[in-house]
Amino acid sequence: MHHQPISRVLNLIPEADQRPANLSAEEARRLLLAADPAGVLGIAGSFALVAQEGVRVCLARSLDRPLRYFLAKQAAGPMLVVADRIDAIRDCLEKEGAGDQFHPSYTRMVPAHHVTEIQLVGCPDPNPVHRRFFDPLRGVLPPDLDAIGAAYVRALLEEIALWLDGVPRQEPLGVLFSGGIDSGSVLLGLYHQLLARGESPARLKAFTLAVDGGGSDIAQAREFLARTGLGLLGEEIEVASADLDPFAAVAVIEDYKPLDVECATLGLALLGALRRRYPDWRHLLDGDGGDENLKDYPIEENRELTIKSVVNNRMLYQEGWGVEAIKQSLTYSGGLSRGCVRGYAPARRYGFSLVSPFTRPRVIAVAEAIPFAALTEGSHQALYGLKGEVLARGFRQVTGFDLPVFPKRRFQNGALPEAAFARHFAVPQERYRRHFLDLYSPA
């Protein structure tokens, strides 16, 4: 008589961490198992879900958070471990007596916007199948910046409203705020939505990081708040550069890409100081994903990119080169699908729930519908000017607010003086990578 091997799924994501805004977690799981993955697009909010049907396991997540897995082989049958952290997978395998099978590069990341399907059928195990559930139409909006801006800002405001629905009315609200276009749009959008609901914006604060007295973001944030009449919302969080530790950030985000390490290092400093000042604060918004949506990264800094590849590849900055591409990392995914840990992991470390409305499909769908090629005609500068133009026009039409627009600057570059930045972050990627691998070396 033939006996089926026993398959086990150990899901380490706590049920309380599932926050679909419109369904129960159980209803959401049923959508993962359906024949047509498009139903998963109907799950609003933040989620990292696992659903099982016999030997078939389906996994899916929202863009704002990681979801990792590892398939271990045991005599009785395959064991799938699912978690949001690599070290949690390692610890689980050691506890289950399978620690000798572990290596960080054997862990896998569920790519954003796909249902990952795994068959637990033993040895050899087949590759997972990735079925796309989010496939927005590209370039279908007219090349009219007013129409584009209005559609984009409306989608942003709808996501902020949905987030507000899930936050108790007495809870304080914070925005991680540099005064740049993205965090400024989130702050102004949240302020607008509170007023539209007849709620007091007194529960809202805009937190700006100042390392060693601050970099250029401090003046920018102050000017933004002054020009919008929101000066009372601003709160500056002072941190000493001696407290910055990029190697600690590598351990928190479990990654080694310098831009993400730098961002996470400053994020840890800001969130750690916030936690010490406000022991019970939980709900935060930021503007992560705004650059990715409007393709606002300097193409010149990446020799792999051309303006043609940036404007013609679907969700390139959100997803990387795509799940079928040779250059896509199985361990990490690509684009913001990989980089989401730079905000998620530091926030988790300090007990915050951090969300960006820019990472939601509703907002990304409008961005993907923008006819970038027609609007930019091959010009880098036209592309870089697009985000400010779209959001400023959108806010003016939809809310009546004038959104101050400043030149692009990364969060990690604006939070501290240039000399302090150079002192702390003159580290090649290989050193970060070596440090990451050392974390998993036997003592």
Side-chain angles (χ1 to χ4, degrees):
M1 185 176 170
H2 178 68
H3 289 285
Q4 276 287 95
I6 299 166
S7 59
R8 297 171 65 204
V9 178
L10 302 180
N11 180 11
L12 308 181
I13 310 276
E15 192 67 9
D17 280 2
Q18 305 302 342
R19 295 190 302 279
N22 56 337
L23 302 165
S24 70
E26 208 41 60
E27 289 169 325
R29 286 191 187 92
R30 281 201 288 276
L31 293 174
L32 265 65
L33 293 167
D36 182 358
V40 176
L41 192 56
I43 306 173
S46 183
F47 61 91
L49 291 164
V50 184
Q52 184 175 9
E53 190 176 64
V55 296
R56 177 174 169 247
V57 180
C58 293
L59 305 98
R61 65 178 174 103
S62 46
L63 178 60
D64 61 329
R65 57 194 294 180
L67 182 60
R68 308 177 193 275
Y69 61 95
F70 184 101
L71 192 62
K73 295 177 175 61
Q74 296 189 308
M79 177 176 72
L80 185 71
V81 182
V82 182
D84 63 352
R85 293 191 59 83
I86 294 172
D87 56 13
I89 291 174
R90 175 201 58 195
D91 295 347
C92 177
L93 290 170
E94 287 177 354
K95 187 176 162 192
E96 293 289 330
D100 57 333
Q101 297 186 39
F102 174 81
H103 189 273
S105 66
Y106 295 166
T107 63
R108 296 286 178 261
M109 177 81 94
V110 174
H113 304 149
H114 291 75
V115 175
T116 294
E117 185 171 319
I118 301 163
Q119 297 287 334
L120 298 181
V121 292
C123 188
D125 41 275
N127 270 325
V129 175
H130 304 292
R131 297 181 299 145
R132 177 175 285 284
F133 66 78
F134 177 44
D135 191 10
L137 295 172
R138 303 191 64 244
V140 293
L141 284 171
D144 174 344
L145 289 175
D146 283 328
I148 291 167
Y152 192 61
V153 168
R154 281 196 189 99
L156 177 71
L157 293 174
E158 285 169 14
E159 284 301 334
I160 290 172
L162 194 62
W163 176 77
L164 269 175
D165 289 342
V167 178
R169 283 185 67 148
Q170 70 279 8
E171 291 278 324
L173 311 170
V175 175
L176 304 186
F177 178 68
S178 67
I181 299 171
D182 296 321
S183 64
S185 295
V186 170
L187 180 69
L188 210 51
L190 181 51
Y191 179 77
H192 170 80
Q193 292 297 58
L194 287 170
L195 293 183
R197 290 163 175 250
E199 296 179 29
S200 167
R203 63 200 275 228
L204 173 58
K205 283 186 183 291
F207 297 116
T208 304
L209 179 62
V211 179
D212 290 352
S216 36
D217 278 358
I218 280 292
Q220 177 176 275
R222 288 171 182 164
E223 186 179 343
F224 184 106
L225 295 171
R227 281 166 58 179
T228 52
L230 302 180
L232 288 174
L233 304 184
E235 187 165 329
E236 294 167 13
I237 307 297
E238 292 275 353
V239 171
S241 64
D243 295 334
L244 302 180
D245 185 350
F247 291 98
V250 168
V252 171
I253 67 172
E254 302 182 305
D255 204 345
Y256 45 80
K257 290 182 75 175
L259 291 174
D260 292 331
V261 172
E262 293 161 9
C263 184
T265 303
L266 275 300
L268 284 164
L270 172 57
L271 293 163
L274 264 185
R275 179 51 74 221
R276 290 187 290 276
R277 187 177 294 187
Y278 296 108
D280 301 318
W281 201 295
R282 178 159 168 74
H283 300 284
L284 298 172
L285 287 179
D286 72 2
D288 211 14
D291 284 335
E292 285 79 1
N293 291 355
L294 275 299
K295 306 185 190 299
D296 191 22
Y297 281 115
I299 296 167
E300 301 81 3
E301 289 182 9
N302 189 332
R303 282 180 295 182
E304 294 178 31
L305 297 180
T306 64
I307 188 164
K308 202 173 263 188
S309 65
V310 168
V311 301
N312 290 331
N313 275 282
R314 172 178 55 192
M315 292 184 277
L316 177 67
Y317 286 135
Q318 290 92 343
E319 298 184 2
W321 294 107
V323 298
E324 304 300 335
I326 288 173
K327 286 185 69 71
Q328 190 83 330
S329 167
L330 299 176
T331 307
Y332 285 109
S333 185
L336 187 60
S337 177
R338 172 181 188 158
C340 65
V341 293
R342 68 195 177 207
Y344 174 86
R348 288 299 299 248
R349 174 56 52 98
Y350 287 109
F352 290 103
S353 169
L354 175 63
V355 168
S356 170
F358 285 117
T359 62
R360 297 296 186 235
R362 187 200 322 251
V363 183
I364 296 172
V366 178
E368 283 294 290
I370 295 171
F372 285 98
L375 288 168
T376 58
E377 298 181 325
S379 162
H380 291 206
Q381 294 315 312
L383 179 62
Y384 303 152
L386 206 54
K387 184 170 73 171
E389 197 67 40
V390 164
L391 280 156
R393 289 181 186 225
F395 266 95
R396 201 171 299 123
Q397 290 176 88
V398 178
T399 71
F401 286 122
D402 282 321
L403 175 77
V405 172
F406 301 98
K408 176 183 167 56
R409 185 169 51 242
R410 288 189 173 101
F411 162 57
Q412 59 263 43
N413 297 116
L416 70 170
E418 283 182 32
F421 182 89
R423 197 164 61 244
H424 281 274
F425 296 113
V427 180
Q429 176 169 306
E430 193 42 50
R431 269 194 66 199
Y432 289 143
R433 184 175 186 147
R434 217 164 40 238
H435 178 71
F436 168 73
L437 290 172
D438 285 347
L439 296 170
Y440 297 95
S441 300

